[in-house]
Amino acid sequence: GLDEVFDRPTQAAVIDDMIRFAQQYPQAKVLVTSRIIGYNPERFQHAGFRQFTIQPLDATEIHEFIDRWYDPAMGSDADKVRLKQRLKDAIENSKAIANLAGNPLLLTMMAILNRRQELPRDRADLYDQASRVLLYHWDVDHKRLQLPMDAIGRREKQEMLRLIAYEMQAGEEGLKGNLIGVDRLTQILTDYLRDQGFNEPREKANQLIQQLRERNFILCYRGADSYGFVHRTFLEYFCAVEIVNRFEKQRSMSFEELRDEVFGENWQNEAWHEVLRLISGMVNVHIAEQLILYLINEDAGIPYENENLLLAAECLFEAGKSPSLETISTKLLEDLQNIASASFAKAESLDAYDNLQTKISRKAVRTISKVWRHEPKVRIWLEAVIQENPFLRIRFVAIQELARGWRDDIPSTLNIIKTIALADKYSFTCCAAIQELARGWRKLPNTFEVLRECALLSVYGDVRFTAIQELGQGWKEESKVYDFICERIISDPFEREVDLEVNPRQVALQTLLTHYPISPKTLSLLHDRAINDTDEQLREWAQEQLKKMKSEGQ
C-alpha cells in the first residue's frame, strides 16, 4: 500500500526499506501496491522489481462476481435470479455502466442499488446513487439502524462532501493528493453546520467525521492528522458536482472561469481528467461543446502532444449523442486515427519511434474503440491496425479492443482472434489473442481445442507457455486438461537460449502445484524435473519447490 504513505520524505524512506529488505532476503516474496497516480517506477525498476498493472474485471469475472454476491446476499429468495440477470443486462446494454463495472467497489454498489431499483444509465447519476447507499441506505436499510431525529441527513452530508472535495483541489497535492488536514476538515464541517442552524456545530462536526469514516465508508484516516476519500471515485465525483453547482446554480463561477481556470489550468494534470470528464457530462450540451472545442484547440506542446485530443474525445463521450457534436466527433475521430496509424511515417526506423509517441498511439486506439465503438468504420480500421501497424504494442492493444468491444460479433471477431492465435508471425500478438480467447470465449466448444493446438504446435515457447497457463486457469476442473498438462511437462521441446525466456514446462508444473497439489502425479513429476530436466533454471526451481514442501511438512 505504498500510495497510503502520503508524506513524500517518509514514502522515500519506506521505498528504501523495502528495496533493502528485498535485497537482504532474496527468497522472500515482496509485493508492493500503489495507485497509478503519483507512482514513480524508477527506483523499483532499478532494484529489479517486476511491475504489473491490475486490469479491470473482464466480462466473465463480472458475471462471476454478480453470481457470488447475490447467492449469500439473497439466499433462497425467489427474486434472486431475476435481479442477477437484470444487473448483467444493465451492464451489457449501457456503455456508462459497463465502463464502471470493472471496478469491484463500484460493482458492489451496483449490486446493492440493483436490489432496490433499475440502475441509472448516466454515470454521474450512478455515482450519486452509490453515495446515497453509503451515506443513508447502508445504515437505514441494511443495518436497520434507527437514526435520531436531529441526525444530519443524506443531502447535508453530500453537500459537505462536495465542499471537502472542492477544498482538496487547492491543496499542495491538489486532487492527486486526496488529502485534507483534520483542522481544515473540521472547520469546513463546522461552518456548514452552523450556517444550516445545527446546535453545537463543532461537536457535531467531530461526530460526523467519525461517522463518515466508520459507518459510511466515504472518508478514511490517512495518518498525520489527515483524512481522504476512501476511493478516488467519490473525491472526483463530489469535486465535479461542486464545480457544476457553482457554475449553474450559484452563478459564482463564470463560463470563462470554468473554461480557463478549471479546464485550461488542469487538463495537463492526469489527476484532474476524471473530474473534467464528469463536468462535460453534467453541463448543458452547448457548454460541453465549447469546452471540447477549447481542448481541441489547445497548444499541447511537448511532452503533452496530442493528450488534449485524447481528453477531448473522452469529454465528447461523456457529453453523449447530440447533432451539435457530430461535426466535432467526425474531425476528432479522424485526428486520433492519424495519431494511432500514421505517426510511424515520421520515424526513420522502429528504433527511432519515440516511446512516448508509442504510448500516445496506444491510448488513441483505446480511446477510439471506447468513444466510437458503434461506428462500423471503426471496426474496419481496427482490423487494419492489427494487420498493418509495424508496432507490436499497438497491434496488441488493437487485438484487445477488437476482442472486448466486438465480442458478441460472432463469428467475425472470433475468427479473426483465432487466426491470430494460431498463425500470426509474431509471438507477442499470438499471446494477446490466446488470452482474449481464454477469457472472452471460454465457454464456446472449440476454444479449448484452439488453445490446445497453440500449446502443442506453436514454434514459439512464450506462445506455448501462455496457452498452457490459460488452459490450466480456465479449464482446471476438466480431467482432459490435467492429463494434457502432465504430458506437456515431459514433452514440451523448449530449449533455453537466453536467461529471460519463459519455459512452458515450468508453467505446466506450476499449474499442477497450484491446482492439483495433493495429486501423487504432481509430486512424481516435480521430483523428475528436479533431476532430469534439461533446463537448469527449471531444475533449480523444482528443487526449491521440493525444499519448500518439505519445510511445510507436505
Side-chain angles (χ1 to χ4, degrees):
L2 182 63
D3 56 320
E4 303 298 338
V5 183
F6 286 90
D7 179 69
R8 295 301 180 191
T10 304
Q11 187 182 88
V14 169
I15 292 172
D16 287 340
D17 287 343
M18 287 190 288
I19 291 173
R20 192 179 301 114
F21 178 89
Q23 292 171 343
Q24 187 174 354
Y25 300 98
Q27 298 302 315
K29 295 181 179 179
V30 181
L31 179 65
V32 182
T33 64
S34 174
R35 292 174 181 85
I36 291 176
I37 293 176
Y39 172 64
N40 185 344
E42 290 185 1
R43 295 175 66 193
F44 284 108
Q45 286 176 332
H46 293 156
F49 278 72
R50 298 177 66 196
Q51 300 187 75
F52 303 89
T53 301
I54 294 177
Q55 299 300 301
L57 299 176
D58 63 26
T60 301
E61 292 163 340
I62 288 170
H63 281 211
E64 184 177 358
F65 180 103
I66 292 169
D67 290 336
R68 291 189 176 191
W69 191 92
Y70 276 96
D71 285 341
M74 297 191 68
S76 59
D77 192 315
D79 208 28
K80 177 174 65 176
V81 174
R82 182 185 69 84
L83 291 178
K84 281 185 184 181
Q85 193 58 49
R86 185 170 78 175
L87 180 53
K88 291 175 183 178
D89 289 344
I91 293 169
E92 187 73 23
N93 297 326
S94 169
K95 290 186 292 183
I97 293 175
N99 288 333
L100 300 177
N103 181 303
L105 172 67
L106 296 177
L107 185 55
T108 303
M109 293 295 99
M110 291 180 198
I112 294 170
L113 287 171
N114 184 58
R115 293 183 64 175
R116 303 167 49 86
Q117 63 185 58
E118 288 194 26
L119 294 182
R121 292 177 177 267
D122 180 83
R123 194 153 62 105
D125 286 345
L126 186 59
Y127 288 155
D128 176 59
Q129 294 288 345
S131 69
R132 292 184 186 211
V133 168
L134 292 178
L135 293 173
Y136 180 77
H137 298 302
W138 193 263
D139 278 348
V140 175
D141 293 349
H142 294 272
K143 297 186 180 181
R144 302 290 192 268
L145 298 181
Q146 295 294 321
L147 301 183
M149 293 297 292
D150 65 343
I152 300 169
R154 185 262 311 161
R155 181 185 63 80
E156 288 88 354
K157 288 181 183 177
Q158 285 183 310
E159 289 184 358
M160 283 184 278
L161 289 168
R162 283 164 30 197
L163 295 174
I164 294 167
Y166 190 78
E167 175 75 15
M168 283 184 178
Q169 71 168 320
E172 184 176 340
E173 289 288 327
L175 286 173
K176 178 180 176 180
N178 187 11
L179 199 66
I180 188 170
V182 66
D183 291 339
R184 183 61 187 142
L185 174 61
T186 304
Q187 191 62 52
I188 291 172
L189 300 182
T190 301
D191 291 345
Y192 176 88
L193 293 169
R194 182 183 294 114
D195 291 343
Q196 295 296 314
F198 283 88
N199 295 324
E200 301 176 320
R202 180 165 288 274
E203 181 180 340
K204 280 189 169 58
N206 290 325
Q207 294 171 353
L208 180 59
I209 292 172
Q210 183 178 3
Q211 184 183 100
L212 290 169
R213 175 187 175 190
E214 296 178 2
R215 288 225 310 265
N216 301 137
F217 310 111
I218 287 283
L219 295 183
C220 60
Y221 182 63
R222 298 294 194 184
D225 290 329
S226 296
Y227 287 82
F229 282 86
V230 75
H231 197 283
R232 282 195 61 84
T233 294
F234 293 113
L235 164 63
E236 292 157 342
Y237 164 70
F238 283 117
C239 183
V241 172
E242 180 61 17
I243 290 170
V244 172
N245 184 67
R246 294 187 181 204
F247 171 64
E248 289 188 339
K249 295 181 180 178
Q250 297 181 13
R251 303 289 184 180
S252 59
M253 178 184 290
S254 67
F255 171 75
E256 289 72 23
E257 289 172 322
L258 175 64
R259 182 192 63 198
D260 300 338
E261 297 178 14
V262 176
F263 277 72
E265 293 182 8
N266 297 299
W267 74 263
Q268 294 178 346
N269 184 346
E270 186 182 4
W272 269 85
H273 284 187
E274 176 66 359
V275 175
L276 302 182
R277 288 191 289 259
L278 285 168
I279 292 171
S280 299
M282 293 176 184
V283 296
N284 178 282
V285 68
H286 298 295
I287 298 296
E289 178 185 2
Q290 294 179 64
L291 295 173
I292 293 166
L293 283 171
Y294 174 79
L295 289 173
I296 291 172
N297 293 323
E298 275 290 88
D299 181 12
I302 304 296
Y304 300 104
E305 188 174 2
N306 298 318
E307 289 278 5
N308 59 317
L309 299 181
L310 294 170
L311 180 57
E314 294 279 1
C315 292
L316 177 72
F317 180 76
E318 294 297 334
K321 288 275 188 182
S322 172
S324 64
L325 296 175
E326 287 182 4
T327 301
I328 296 175
S329 177
T330 301
K331 180 64 167 63
L332 196 51
L333 172 58
E334 182 181 319
D335 289 343
L336 290 180
Q337 286 177 326
N338 287 336
I339 291 168
S341 301
S343 50
F344 170 66
K346 301 175 184 178
E348 296 178 0
S349 67
L350 296 184
D351 292 336
Y353 192 64
D354 185 75
N355 282 334
L356 177 61
Q357 187 59 52
T358 309
K359 180 180 177 181
I360 294 295
S361 295
R362 297 201 306 271
K363 282 185 177 181
V365 172
R366 293 199 188 281
T367 302
I368 289 168
S369 302
K370 172 184 173 181
V371 178
W372 290 277
R373 180 158 294 166
H374 297 290
E375 296 279 350
K377 61 183 178 182
V378 168
R379 182 203 164 95
I380 297 170
W381 174 80
L382 262 183
E383 292 177 8
V385 171
I386 292 170
Q387 296 298 324
E388 300 168 8
N389 196 288
F391 290 95
L392 296 182
R393 285 180 291 177
I394 296 175
R395 295 182 65 202
F396 185 97
V397 170
I399 290 168
Q400 288 182 327
E401 293 302 318
L402 179 66
R404 297 172 189 181
W406 287 265
R407 181 170 290 157
D408 294 334
D409 192 359
I410 300 174
S412 180
T413 302
L414 181 59
N415 287 340
I416 291 172
I417 303 302
K418 281 182 182 177
T419 301
I420 296 169
L422 291 167
D424 200 83
K425 62 181 179 179
Y426 297 108
S427 65
F428 190 65
T429 45
C430 290
C431 291
I434 288 169
Q435 290 171 341
E436 295 306 319
L437 279 174
R439 299 169 193 184
W441 289 284
R442 181 168 59 88
K443 294 183 179 180
L444 293 185
N446 63 348
T447 299
F448 169 81
E449 293 303 327
V450 173
L451 266 64
R452 183 180 182 278
E453 186 174 344
C454 291
L456 198 60
L457 301 178
S458 177
V459 297
Y460 301 115
D462 54 344
V463 172
R464 301 196 304 275
F465 179 100
T466 302
I468 292 170
Q469 186 177 54
E470 294 297 337
L471 285 168
Q473 181 63 37
W475 288 264
K476 56 181 176 287
E477 307 297 335
E478 300 187 26
S479 59
K480 62 182 179 181
V481 172
Y482 177 79
D483 294 337
F484 178 72
I485 289 175
C486 288
E487 187 270 334
R488 288 291 87 201
I489 291 172
I490 300 296
S491 302
D492 187 272
F494 174 80
E495 293 183 11
R496 186 174 300 281
E497 296 181 0
V498 295
D499 284 346
L500 295 179
E501 282 185 291
V502 291
N503 187 339
R505 296 193 296 274
Q506 182 168 330
V507 75
L509 193 53
Q510 178 66 69
T511 298
L512 290 194
L513 289 172
T514 301
H515 300 302
Y516 315 98
I518 62 174
S519 169
K521 200 168 185 178
T522 297
L523 188 59
S524 173
L525 286 167
L526 186 62
H527 277 288
D528 176 73
R529 293 298 92 188
I531 298 170
N532 299 319
D533 201 274
T534 57
D535 179 21
E536 182 181 359
Q537 286 190 23
L538 177 50
R539 292 199 306 271
E540 292 176 354
W541 178 83
Q543 291 163 13
E544 286 294 327
Q545 300 308 306
L546 288 169
K547 289 179 185 177
K548 181 180 177 182
M549 294 172 73
K550 185 176 181 180
S551 67
E552 294 174 352
Q554 298 183 27

